[in-house]
């Protein structure tokens, strides 16, 4: 028997909704079968916590007296984008401070940047804002330097153009020297492997064909409430998939938005990748309404059924070569070792499974407590047959 | 038989003393050097594991102290900040002495300073600056 989101919301409001996490649903389907479980369960909560580079905030810091039309803006000496309205600005998670030594002393440390500022701002710390401009009749001021605090900003919005990758590469290093990558420090000659997905807890791996997650989906974002607003950049649904429809390559992505003022720095963390740069880890939780048996079956996917490609980050990734060394599943990755080219390779992750589990449980409590209801997406994400793909750049002379 | 992991800091003038030799020869101690370096100010820093009879160990440590060498338990030099750690596990495959450990049921990381040899691999691997080694 199919359910509707409106019916599920009624049950949520009455405190009667049956909510389980994407881990718990696995056992339920195993024990009771998909038919019975689909009848009994209303919502499955999914989650992920890991570095997501295409993230940032825009905010309006209010008009100074006299007014300035900020042409260039810095926050704690980190440049923000000011090519918007007079006192609107966007700070990206990967932005570095002016005069950061980057990789001049290799590998660079990248201790501070956009992601760290966002973490500090959410935590309630004062941030130094500097703006410069040219003079106009309506905006005469040329320089501004002041402290800002999240509580005084008019609007401050987390707006991430690409989060929540549906599956991701497992990085290894086949060369003879250490590689410092956005997936972490890779020891030479297959010294370690790094993966970055919550696997069976990850939102888009539990809704592989985007049957429920779409534009307008209400989500847990950075400890507060947010929304899916578009497919993320590089959304690439038409990749090789298993019989269970789960993509075996990085595939779908989400663009998400939410009011930063109600978020928590525990779920938005500045990240420093040695030899690479800075970024921000974002905590996201997405509820999946169990509308029918098919959707229920997808949420019961487990780590051993989700495969990721192992890619050499010393040559294949940087040169945009297509070679995949192997496919491994998340049960193998989480066991601590995988076998590549007959060699036992120890694994580590960048995505925190412990944090993802915590978020899935928080979202479950929110829904059980009647605090969080589900939204009907106004439009679903482009799926396998949409014709949307992620194109490489073709350079022109 | 007693075992201790300690950090010895040698002022410039003691760097040339063959301390390890004396610990072995005169105090009958087993010495395992875990790491050794001399910083730009020419201070030496030696991380060792020493084991032997309690009396010999005490005497050996007194000998070291008598030379003006600072001796402190290894645990004091390395700090794992639990509140900074997100349990991502990037450090786990790199930690050679299993001081950083992962419980594969809870998927949470923990740190046992007794096993740390101050190699510093985790410093570069940790994206959250959750490990600090005080030099």
């Amino acid at each position: 028997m199919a359910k509707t989101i409106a019916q599920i919301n009624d049950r949520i409001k009455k405190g009667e909704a049956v909510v389980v996490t994407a881990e718990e649903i696995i056992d339920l389907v195993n024990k009771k079968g998909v038919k019975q479980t689909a009848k009994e369960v209303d919502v499955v909560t999914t989650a992920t916590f890991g570095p997501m580079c295409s993230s940032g905030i825009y905010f309006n810091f209010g008009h100074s007296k006299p007014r300035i039309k900020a042409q260039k803006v810095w926050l704690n000496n980190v440049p923000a984008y000011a090519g918007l309205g007079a006192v609107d600005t966007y700070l990206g998670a990967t932005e570095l401070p002016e005069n950061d030594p980057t990789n001049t002393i290799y590998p660079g440390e990248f201790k501070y940047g956009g992601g760290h500022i966002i973490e500090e701002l959410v935590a309630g710390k004062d941030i130094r804002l500097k703006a410069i401009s040219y003079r106009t009749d309506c905006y005469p001021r040329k320089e501004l330097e002041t402290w800002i605090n999240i509580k005084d900003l008019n609007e401050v919005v987390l707006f991430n153009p690409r989060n929540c990758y549906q599956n991701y590469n497992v990085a290894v290093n086949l060369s003879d020297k250490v590689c410092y990558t956005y997936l972490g420090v890779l020891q030479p000659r297959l010294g370690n492997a790094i993966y970055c997905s919550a696997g069976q807890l990850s939102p888009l791996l539990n809704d592989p064909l985007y049957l429920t997650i779409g534009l307008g989906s209400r989500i847990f974002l950075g400890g507060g409430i947010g929304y899916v607003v578009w497919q993320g950049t590089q959304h690439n649904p038409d990749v090789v998939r298993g019989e269970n429809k789960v993509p075996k390559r990085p595939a779908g992505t989400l663009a998400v938005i939410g009011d930063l003022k109600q978020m928590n720095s525990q779920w938005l963390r500045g990240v420093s990748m040695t030899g690479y740069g800075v970024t921000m880890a974002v905590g996201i939780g997405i509820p999946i309404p169990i509308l029918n048996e098919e959707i229920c079956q997808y949420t019961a996917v487990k780590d051993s059924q989700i495969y990721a490609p192992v890619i050499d980050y010393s040559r294949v990734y940087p040169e945009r070569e297509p070679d995949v060394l192997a496919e491994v599943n998340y049960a193998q990755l989480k066991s601590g070792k995988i076998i590549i080219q007959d060699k036992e390779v120890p694994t580590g992750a960048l995505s925190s499974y412990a944090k993802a589990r915590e978020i899935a449980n928080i979202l479950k409590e929110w829904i059980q407590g009647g605090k969080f209801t589900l939204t009907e997406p106004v439009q679903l994400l482009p799926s396998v047959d949409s014709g949307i793909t992620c194109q490489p750049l073709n350079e022109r002379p | 038989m007693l075992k201790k992991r300690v950090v010895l800091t040698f002022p410039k003038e003691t760097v040339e003393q063959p301390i390890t030799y004396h610990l072995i020869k005169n105090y009958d101690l087993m010495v395992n050097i875990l790491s050794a370096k001399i910083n730009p100010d020419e201070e030496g820093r030696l991380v060792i594991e020493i084991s032997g009879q309690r009396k010999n160990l005490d005497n050996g440590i007194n000998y070291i102290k008598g030379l003006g060498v600072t001796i402190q338990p290894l645990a004091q030099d390395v700090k794992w900040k639990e509140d900074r750690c997100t349990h991502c596990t990037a450090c786990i495959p790199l930690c050679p002495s299993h001081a950083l450990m992962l419980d594969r049921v809870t998927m949470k990381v923990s740190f046992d300073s007794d096993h740390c040899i101050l190699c510093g691999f985790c410093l570069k691997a940790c994206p959250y600056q959750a490990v600090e080694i005080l030099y």
Side-chain angles (χ1 to χ4, degrees), chain A residues 196-215:
Chain A
C196 191
S197 169
Q200 63 192 13
L201 264 178
S202 182
L204 290 176
L205 291 174
N206 281 279
D207 184 7
L209 296 176
Y210 330 109
L211 297 179
T212 70
I213 300 171
L215 278 58

Side-chain angles (χ1 to χ4, degrees), chain A residues 36-154:
Chain A
Q36 187 61 24
T37 311
K39 256 186 223 166
E40 290 178 14
V41 174
D42 294 305
V43 184
V44 170
T45 59
T46 65
T48 183
F49 180 90
M52 303 189 196
C53 286
S54 268
S55 297
I57 56 171
Y58 69 80
F59 62 91
N60 177 287
F61 51 87
H63 287 276
S64 57
K65 182 179 162 65
R67 293 178 196 266
I68 185 169
K69 179 173 91 79
Q71 184 196 7
K72 292 194 171 180
V73 171
W74 292 264
L75 298 160
N76 286 355
N77 200 34
V78 174
Y81 180 74
L84 299 162
V87 290
D88 282 346
T89 186
Y90 186 90
L91 173 68
T94 66
E95 194 67 60
L96 293 172
E98 295 283 358
N99 305 318
D100 189 282
T102 63
N103 269 337
T104 37
I105 299 169
Y106 182 79
E109 291 190 312
F110 301 101
K111 289 216 158 159
Y112 194 76
H116 300 87
I117 294 178
I118 296 170
E119 178 185 339
E120 289 177 0
L121 193 66
V122 178
K125 285 193 187 161
D126 283 344
I127 306 285
R128 192 74 173 161
L129 178 142
K130 186 183 164 190
I132 57 164
S133 193
Y134 54 92
R135 197 187 145 80
T136 76
D137 290 340
C138 44
Y139 291 96
R141 193 150 167 185
K142 289 170 75 177
E143 267 181 54
L144 170 68
E145 220 178 317
T146 182
W147 292 99
I148 58 164
N149 189 287
I150 188 166
K151 65 179 194 302
D152 304 322
L153 297 172
N154 287 321

Side-chain angles (χ1 to χ4, degrees), chain A residues 49 111 119 180 185 187 192 269-274 281 334-336 346-355 357, chain B residues 83-94 102 104-109 121 123-130:
Chain A
F49 180 90
K111 289 216 158 159
E119 178 185 339
Y180 297 94
V185 184
Q187 297 297 323
N192 62 330
R269 297 282 304 273
V271 171
S272 302
M273 302 304 301
T274 302
K334 279 183 199 156
S335 77
T347 60
L350 268 194
S351 172
S352 168
Y353 194 77
K355 292 273 178 200
R357 186 182 270 158
Chain B
D83 60 321
R84 292 291 312 165
C85 176
T86 69
H87 309 278
C88 73
T89 73
C91 56
I92 297 297
L94 299 179
L102 174 63
R104 295 202 180 268
V105 176
T106 63
M107 290 304 278
K108 286 196 168 177
V109 174
F121 282 177
L123 286 184
K124 281 183 178 161
C126 179
Y128 300 96
Q129 300 169 35

Side-chain angles (χ1 to χ4, degrees), chain A residues 180-254:
Chain A
Y180 297 94
T181 74
Y182 69 88
L183 279 168
V185 184
L186 298 170
Q187 297 297 323
R189 295 174 295 273
L190 291 168
N192 62 330
I194 302 179
Y195 65 98
C196 191
S197 169
Q200 63 192 13
L201 264 178
S202 182
L204 290 176
L205 291 174
N206 281 279
D207 184 7
L209 296 176
Y210 330 109
L211 297 179
T212 70
I213 300 171
L215 278 58
S217 289
R218 184 180 292 138
I219 62 172
F220 170 111
L221 178 59
I225 285 177
Y227 295 87
V228 175
V229 287
W230 204 253
Q231 68 265 33
T233 53
Q234 295 180 194
H235 182 72
N236 195 25
D238 192 16
V239 299
V240 51
R241 289 172 185 255
E243 271 175 33
N244 57 6
K245 309 291 182 206
V246 174
K248 294 179 169 183
R249 300 287 181 275
T253 64
L254 300 176

